[in-house]
Amino acid sequence: MTPAESSPAARALDEAVRLLQNGDLVAFPTETVYGLGAAARDPLAVRRIFAAKGRPADHPLIVHLPDATALDAWGVTEGTAAVALADRFWPGPLTLVLRRRPGVPDEVTGGLDTVGLRVPAHPVAQALLRAFGDGIAAPSANRFGRVSPTLARHVREELGPDVFVLDGGPCAVGVESTIVDLSGPTPTLLRPGGLPVEALEAILGPLPPGGTRAPGTLPGHYSPRTSLLLSSDADAAAARLVGKGLRVEILRGTDEADHARRLYAELRRMDELGVDVLVAELAEERGLGRAINDRLRRAAWPHTDEAPLVDGHDPSER
Ligand code: TXA
Ligand code: MG
């Protein structure tokens, strides 16, 4: 097809590939959240990601791959369950941390001797990766410390109008990928996410939490103006706060998948609406519920030394 015949989506994809080849950044949808991508083999391009996000440069990035055949070019799979997990769960919301191959830039790994790898399932991400033909390093496309974007509009709100965004609509999963570390003697869980931990444990056996430093595992990963109250009885908590004259909303999902999909967009919307307190119901601590609760607890953590807001603490006194 000539450019004149091609669709707007095809032209946007061509432009995105050109930008990546040029060392520039492209925001793109994945099934979990939107990512801010750069050519993973181009150290200068990768540095631009940290500048755009305001993120410390020693935090490692996930390399997104077109398919599992690219795995061995980036990480050491021998002696690990990487190929079995990739066969079973890719494309999908799973990141594998492996010992890295020589030639993976330090800018990507934050100087670690390991690298995080994932094949995303979103059709736009897949089309981009196939057209580009190599790894794309991408963190979530938010400014450092904020919640991840699940709509193209969120990316522009976070990073400004100049960032090139491929619009793939709302993200279907809504929370980031599950990260499993296969670089040590036994597999560990670095982050619960879009792939239920139980599915991994069915193959790997019990997955203890890993000790690797990771920014997504710091408390306080969201800085809303709206206070977030975690409650097991949201209606009662909300009634109590409304009685004090506060503007209150409740966040709960009809099921875990729905809860996860709406979580970050709802946190953003509460700030826009000027809500004083969002009362969120914790999910059951299994499946996607583990990722939902993990993100809720981080978002409820105040950026002071106070205890997180949970039932019993009164946000009007904060
Ligand atoms: O779903 C996702 O994973 C999204 C989409 C865009 O793919 N990406 C994402 O990236 O959440 P980011 O940078 O926001 O979070 C990646 C997490 C960080 O906590 C980082 O520390 C960890 O992955 N990570 C990456 N490489 C690592 C490594 N070699 N060792 C340990 N942790 C690593
Ligand atoms: Mg992130």
Side-chain angles (χ1 to χ4, degrees):
M1 262 197 301
T2 66
E5 289 171 292
S6 65
S7 68
R11 284 200 297 277
L13 192 66
D14 287 348
E15 173 68 358
V17 171
R18 197 188 60 74
L19 288 167
L20 290 173
Q21 287 166 343
N22 203 34
D24 288 320
L25 304 183
V26 170
F28 62 98
T30 81
E31 75 280 29
T32 59
V33 300
Y34 276 74
L36 180 64
R41 300 232 181 244
D42 180 343
L44 288 178
V46 173
R47 279 187 210 168
R48 294 205 169 106
I49 294 176
F50 294 97
K53 279 188 59 112
R55 186 185 199 178
D58 61 346
H59 286 180
L61 304 178
I62 295 170
V63 177
H64 297 70
L65 302 173
D67 57 57
T69 60
L71 190 53
D72 276 299
W74 294 86
V76 178
T77 60
E78 288 87 31
T80 77
V83 172
L85 295 179
D87 279 349
R88 177 76 182 78
F89 298 116
W90 281 355
L94 171 66
T95 295
L96 302 176
V97 170
L98 300 176
R99 279 185 294 126
R100 68 159 156 170
R101 293 280 181 205
V104 181
D106 281 338
E107 282 77 1
V108 170
T109 66
L112 299 174
D113 60 1
T114 56
V115 62
L117 301 165
R118 137 166 151 84
V119 176
H122 194 292
V124 173
Q126 294 223 322
L128 178 67
L129 284 158
R130 276 199 299 270
F132 181 62
D134 200 4
I136 298 177
S140 50
N142 51 282
R143 291 195 56 81
F144 181 62
R146 304 249 321 147
V147 291
S148 300
T150 53
L151 285 175
R153 175 169 64 79
H154 298 159
V155 179
R156 295 189 197 100
E157 286 165 8
E158 287 285 320
L159 303 176
D162 292 342
V163 62
F164 184 89
V165 189
L166 284 174
D167 191 341
C171 300
V173 176
V175 292
E176 301 86 343
S177 60
T178 303
I179 308 181
V180 62
D181 185 354
L182 301 178
S183 69
T186 54
T188 58
L189 179 70
L190 297 186
R191 177 174 77 183
L195 181 73
V197 174
E198 292 85 343
L200 289 168
E201 289 185 327
I203 295 176
L204 298 173
L207 261 183
T212 317
R213 149 202 76 107
T217 62
L218 295 174
H221 217 61
Y222 175 53
S223 40
R225 72 164 291 294
T226 307
S227 294
L228 180 61
L229 179 75
L230 306 184
S231 176
S232 51
D233 187 349
D235 293 315
R240 182 165 54 81
L241 294 165
V242 168
K244 291 177 182 270
L246 293 168
R247 179 153 181 211
V248 182
E249 293 277 341
I250 293 176
L251 175 63
R252 58 160 74 91
T254 51
D255 58 59
E256 285 167 6
D258 171 67
H259 203 169
R261 203 179 300 119
R262 293 173 41 234
L263 179 60
Y264 289 150
E266 286 296 294
L267 292 179
R268 283 175 193 279
R269 203 167 66 83
M270 293 305 126
D271 280 0
E272 286 165 17
L273 291 176
V275 168
D276 296 313
V277 186
L278 175 63
V279 180
E281 260 180 22
L282 288 169
E284 271 188 69
E285 196 68 29
R286 61 174 164 74
L288 265 181
R290 284 177 70 165
I292 293 166
N293 292 346
D294 173 76
R295 306 310 190 270
L296 280 174
R297 290 196 181 99
R298 289 177 208 292
W301 194 279
H303 285 209
T304 69
D305 291 325
E306 299 167 47
L309 287 169
V310 291
D311 269 353
H313 293 253
D314 187 338
S316 64
E317 289 157 16
R318 200 173 130 195

